Amino acid sequence: MGPDVEEAATVHLPRPARRSVLLLTGALLLTACGSGSGSSDGPATRGARAVAFDNCGRRVTVGAPPKRAVSLNQGTTEIMLSLGLADRMAGTATWTDPVLKGLEKADAKVPRLADDQPSFERVLAAEPDFVAASFASTLSAGGVAPREKFEELGVPTYLSPADCEGKDNSGDGDGSRTRPLAMDTVYREVEELARVFGVEDRGEELVARLKSRVAKAASGVRAEDTTVLYWFANQESPYMAGCCGAPGVITNALGAKNVLDDSRQEWPQVSWETVADRDPDVLVVGDLTRRSQTAESAAKKIAFLESHPATRNMRAVKGKSYVLLSGQAMNPTIRTVEGVEKVAAALRAHGLAG
């Protein structure tokens, strides 16, 4: 779920950015010619000077480890910061939450281009040599700009595979899943970005830590008889999680059941009467700091639930069976691991973990 977006603008490339892009274009042409056919094997392989891989239906070639990367969504930003790449980042944008704990100092070193979605011109002014985003909508005509716009200027782009593989983004809203998301797709994103920057060992270490945390959180949890519902944002027509995105990863890891698992939409908007009728044991509520929707914070969500006639008598509301999660933990990111940990802890605390 992203915040409201700005229209992408047609821009004239600033002189410094034009100079760096021309140099980068030449470098990419040279490395692409010299890399040969060997770069086509596997999802991401390193040639003599280049990294080339398939990404969401596009062939991406990065001629050298980026020195001025721009991350357009918090998910890709936190992966880069976790890989120790702050000194190679020229900007970040589109935040729903405070940065992941432990990354505050690294984040402070990187310019924030915008709290929400920046304009194409603002991104180009940072003179990027690599651009990454978590959502297809960010790298589209209705977002910052289509990938082609960057690639025409010689700037390689990367889109999180979790938002394109096994997912249909062609309709309105946040798309729908043609197959359930698996954390392995997020782990691969970590590994691919690590390869792009030439820090493969760091990527392997980060993935190992994340896998260990999931295994530890889920150990001993048997929640087959527990039902949950995930509310991301908006109180008028709430966005609730369907079966198969990041909340599905959390639910499946713990053996619980999402009461909206009959929807393959990423974040279907449902009525409060439907919510009350499904009457879950636990309500997982997004605790966001952005301000693009109503009821962004957990406090506002809970106040609404406890006062609305359709929801105040629900089991989870009467029993205050709430779990507070960051927006990033409810999106397909490395913080989905945090979601597994917090929901598991809450199920244990409420005696619902078996």
Side-chain angles (χ1 to χ4, degrees):
M1 293 290 298
D4 294 340
V5 299
E6 300 176 6
E7 290 293 330
T10 300
V11 300
H12 297 289
L13 194 61
R15 187 176 302 275
R18 184 186 298 116
R19 186 162 53 245
S20 64
V21 165
L22 287 173
L23 290 171
L24 177 62
T25 302
L28 285 174
L29 289 172
L30 287 172
T31 54
C33 292
S35 59
S37 60
S39 64
S40 62
D41 297 329
T45 54
R46 180 177 292 280
R49 292 179 57 194
V51 173
F53 55 96
D54 295 322
N55 174 239
C56 295
R58 307 179 80 87
R59 190 65 175 168
V60 176
T61 300
V62 183
K67 296 181 179 179
R68 295 191 59 79
V70 168
S71 173
L72 297 175
N73 292 109
Q74 188 171 348
T76 46
T77 296
E78 291 184 341
I79 291 176
M80 292 184 192
L81 294 176
S82 296
L83 292 172
L85 301 171
D87 60 339
R88 296 200 235 168
M89 298 175 69
T92 68
T94 320
W95 292 76
T96 59
D97 309 290
V99 71
L100 179 63
K101 187 176 180 181
L103 297 178
E104 296 89 349
K105 290 184 178 179
D107 176 54
K109 298 176 182 178
V110 184
R112 185 167 293 196
L113 306 183
D115 288 333
D116 295 327
Q117 189 162 270
S119 67
F120 183 43
E121 185 174 23
R122 181 72 185 89
V123 176
L124 292 183
E127 301 183 47
D129 57 5
F130 179 75
V131 170
S134 300
F135 302 109
S137 58
T138 303
L139 288 173
S140 71
V144 174
R147 298 181 74 169
E148 294 86 353
K149 286 277 193 179
F150 288 104
E151 291 161 1
E152 287 168 3
L153 299 171
V155 180
T157 60
Y158 181 87
L159 176 60
S160 298
D163 199 53
C164 65
E165 296 182 5
K167 188 168 181 233
D168 180 2
N169 291 308
S170 62
D172 295 331
D174 296 283
S176 59
R177 294 281 170 182
T178 56
R179 66 174 184 266
L181 174 72
M183 275 304 292
D184 283 347
T185 307
V186 178
Y187 299 149
R188 178 156 55 81
E189 177 181 359
V190 173
E191 292 166 346
E192 287 181 343
L193 287 173
R195 290 191 192 106
V196 166
F197 286 88
V199 292
E200 291 91 333
D201 289 349
R202 298 181 197 174
E204 291 173 4
E205 291 170 3
L206 177 55
V207 168
R209 291 198 303 271
L210 294 171
K211 288 182 176 180
S212 176
R213 287 171 57 191
V214 170
K216 181 179 179 181
S219 178
V221 176
R222 297 181 302 278
E224 292 84 359
D225 297 325
T226 301
T227 56
V228 297
L229 179 64
Y230 299 80
W231 178 16
F232 193 93
N234 196 295
Q235 68 184 36
E236 290 80 19
S237 186
Y239 291 96
M240 302 290 186
C243 68
C244 301
V249 170
I250 298 169
T251 306
N252 293 336
L254 303 176
K257 177 180 174 60
N258 178 354
V259 294
L260 284 179
D261 66 2
D262 55 342
S263 175
R264 284 188 169 268
Q265 292 182 56
E266 190 86 339
W267 293 101
Q269 289 183 277
V270 301
S271 70
W272 287 114
E273 288 71 26
T274 297
V275 171
D277 182 63
R278 301 295 174 99
D279 199 16
D281 297 310
V282 175
L283 278 162
V284 183
V285 297
D287 193 14
L288 285 62
T289 57
R290 68 175 194 181
R291 297 181 180 179
S292 66
Q293 301 276 344
T294 54
E296 297 280 45
S297 71
K300 289 184 177 180
K301 286 182 173 71
I302 292 170
F304 177 88
L305 290 166
E306 294 181 350
S307 63
H308 193 280
T311 58
R312 63 191 179 197
N313 291 317
M314 291 170 57
R315 282 179 295 171
V317 175
K318 292 178 73 173
K320 297 187 182 297
S321 298
Y322 305 123
V323 186
L324 278 56
L325 287 188
S326 67
Q328 290 305 300
M330 299 170 81
N331 281 326
T333 68
I334 58 174
R335 287 176 73 172
T336 301
V337 171
E338 168 191 310
V340 176
E341 292 170 332
K342 289 191 173 182
V343 174
L347 293 183
R348 290 189 178 98
H350 290 290
L352 298 170

